[in-house]
C-alpha cells in the first residue's frame, strides 16, 4: 500500500530524512566551508545520522587540518568517523599545496597559475573527484543517502572542481556506478554562497568556526597572506565579524 504524503505538513528535516534515507556522509576538511556544510547536514539529518570523512593528501598543513577535523567532530559529538590518506597526490605533484618546490602565492588574490592560467597554483588537479569517490564508496557501504561537500563556486579561488556543473555530472556517475537500489545524492549546500554568507549561516547554526583552519602555509598560526587566508579575512570583514583564529601577524581583513 502506497501512503500519500502531504508535504505541507512535513518539516524540512523530516523530508530530508525521508529523501536521504537518514544517514549522510560529510566531507570535512577542517576548513570553514566544510564546517558550515557539516552544520547544515546535522540540521537536516540529526547528529546521530552524520558520518564524517576526512582525507589527507600530503598537503602542507595536513596535521593542522586533521586536528581541526577531530575538534569539530568532537564538538558535534560525532563518533562515526573515517580518515583516509591519499598520498598519491604528493607523488603526482602539480600543486603548491602538495609540492614544496612550488611557492604558495602571498598577498595576491586571484594570482595566475602556470603559463598565465586563470587557475591558481594552489589548485590540486581533480582532487575533489578523489574525495567524492571515497565518500560515495563509504556512503554505499553504510547505507547513507547523501554525501555532503562544502565546495564553493562563488567568491572563491576559481577551482574547476568547485563548479555546480561538476557535481551535476558526478551525480550521474554515482547513479550509473553504484548498485541499482543505491540512492545517494551529492549535496553542495554552500556552493552558490559568498564566503560572508557562509560565515553568517555558520553563526546562525552555531557552527564552531573558531575550531576551523584555512591557511595553506602554516600549522601554528595562520599566515594571513595566502589565497585562502585572504579570502577568509575578506569574508569575515564583509560579514562584520572578527575572525576567531590566530594569525602570525596583525593583518588587515580588507586587503
Amino acid at each position: 500500500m502506497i501512503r500519500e504524503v502531504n508535504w505541507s505538513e512535513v518539516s524540512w528535516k523530516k523530508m530530508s530524512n525521508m529523501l536521504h534515507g537518514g544517514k549522510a556522509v560529510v566531507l570535512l576538511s577542517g576548513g570553514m566551508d566544510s564546517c558550515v556544510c557539516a552544520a547544515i547536514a546535522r540540521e537536516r539529518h540529526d547528529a546521530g545520522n552524520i558520518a564524517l570523512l576526512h582525507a589527507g593528501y600530503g598537503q602542507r598543513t595536513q596535521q593542522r587540518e586533521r586536528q581541526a577535523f577531530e575538534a569539530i567532530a568532537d564538538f558535534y559529538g560525532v563518533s562515526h568517523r573515517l580518515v583516509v590518506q591519499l598520498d598519491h597526490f604528493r607523488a603526482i605533484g602539480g600543486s603548491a599545496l602538495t609540492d614544496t618546490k612550488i611557492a604558495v602565492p602571498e598577498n595576491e588574490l586571484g594570482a595566475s597559475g602556470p603559463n598565465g592560467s586563470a587557475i591558481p597554483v594552489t589548485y590540486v588537479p581533480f582532487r575533489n573527484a578523489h574525495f567524492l569517490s571515497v565518500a560515495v564508496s563509504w556512503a554505499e557501504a553504510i547505507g547513507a543517502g547523501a554525501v555532503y561537500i562544502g565546495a564553493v563556486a562563488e567568491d572563491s579561488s576559481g577551482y574547476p572542481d568547485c563548479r555546480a556543473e561538476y557535481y551535476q555530472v558526478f551525480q550521474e556517475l554515482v547513479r550509473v556506478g553504484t548498485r541499482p537500489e543505491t540512492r545517494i545524492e551529492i549535496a553542495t549546500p554552500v556552493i552558490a554562497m559568498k564566503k560572508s554568507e557562509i560565515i553568517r549561516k555558520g553563526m546562525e547554526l552555531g557552527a564552531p568556526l573558531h575550531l576551523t583552519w584555512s591557511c595553506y602555509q602554516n600549522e601554528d598560526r595562520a599566515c594571513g597572506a595566502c589565497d585562502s587566508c585572504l579570502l577568509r579575512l575578506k569574508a569575515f570583514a564583509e560579514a562584520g565579524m572578527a575572525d576567531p583564529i590566530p594569525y602570525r601577524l596583525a593583518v588587515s581583513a580588507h586587503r
Side-chain angles (χ1 to χ4, degrees):
M1 179 179 179
I2 299 175
R3 174 178 170 267
E4 291 188 5
V5 178
N6 183 350
W7 294 108
S8 64
E9 297 177 356
V10 179
S11 69
W12 166 247
K13 185 182 293 185
K14 290 180 180 178
M15 183 169 67
S16 181
N17 281 340
M18 292 171 69
L19 294 175
H20 298 159
K23 294 181 184 177
V25 169
V26 182
L27 278 157
L28 180 60
S29 67
M32 183 176 72
D33 303 332
S34 68
C35 177
V36 175
C37 184
I40 293 171
R42 180 177 178 271
E43 181 187 44
R44 294 178 180 177
H45 296 266
D46 294 323
N49 285 326
I50 297 299
L52 298 178
L53 171 60
H54 179 77
Y57 55 98
Q59 70 272 38
R60 292 171 183 258
T61 55
Q62 180 170 273
Q63 292 182 344
R64 186 61 183 83
E65 290 180 33
R66 169 70 183 276
Q67 178 185 330
F69 164 78
E70 298 291 356
I72 296 166
D74 288 346
F75 178 89
Y76 283 126
V78 176
S79 58
H80 203 180
R81 311 175 193 181
L82 176 64
V83 177
V84 296
Q85 190 61 40
L86 307 178
D87 285 327
H88 56 277
F89 278 108
R90 181 170 286 174
I92 290 169
S95 170
L97 300 192
T98 57
D99 188 342
T100 56
K101 297 189 294 293
I102 302 174
V104 175
E106 293 188 356
N107 300 316
E108 185 181 1
L109 277 175
S112 60
N115 302 315
S117 169
I119 308 301
V121 295
T122 51
Y123 163 64
V124 181
F126 214 53
R127 179 189 65 179
N128 286 349
H130 297 249
F131 292 173
L132 286 169
S133 295
V134 176
V136 170
S137 293
W138 194 30
E140 188 168 34
I142 66 175
V147 166
Y148 282 76
I149 183 169
V152 180
E154 301 292 328
D155 198 21
S156 65
S157 297
Y159 297 157
D161 58 352
C162 287
R163 297 174 296 174
E165 54 265 41
Y166 182 91
Y167 296 95
Q168 292 165 4
V169 172
F170 203 94
Q171 181 71 71
E172 179 64 9
L173 177 63
V174 173
R175 185 186 70 80
V176 300
T178 54
R179 297 186 185 97
E181 64 271 21
T182 295
R183 297 290 183 272
I184 298 173
E185 177 188 347
I186 304 298
T188 55
V190 300
I191 199 163
M193 292 184 184
K194 290 177 64 65
K195 292 275 189 179
S196 57
E197 293 173 332
I198 293 172
I199 290 171
R200 294 189 186 101
K201 185 64 175 179
M203 296 298 292
E204 174 191 328
L205 297 176
L209 299 180
H210 63 289
L211 299 177
T212 62
W213 193 256
S214 303
C215 183
Y216 286 157
Q217 301 225 60
N218 302 327
E219 296 197 319
D220 51 356
R221 288 175 174 265
C223 70
C226 70
D227 192 36
S228 187
C229 280
L230 292 177
L231 285 169
R232 179 178 174 127
L233 287 163
K234 178 174 177 286
F236 270 97
E238 290 177 352
M241 301 174 189
D243 191 339
I245 71 167
Y247 286 84
R248 282 195 170 186
L249 301 172
V251 293
S252 170
H254 297 277
R255 65 178 180 175

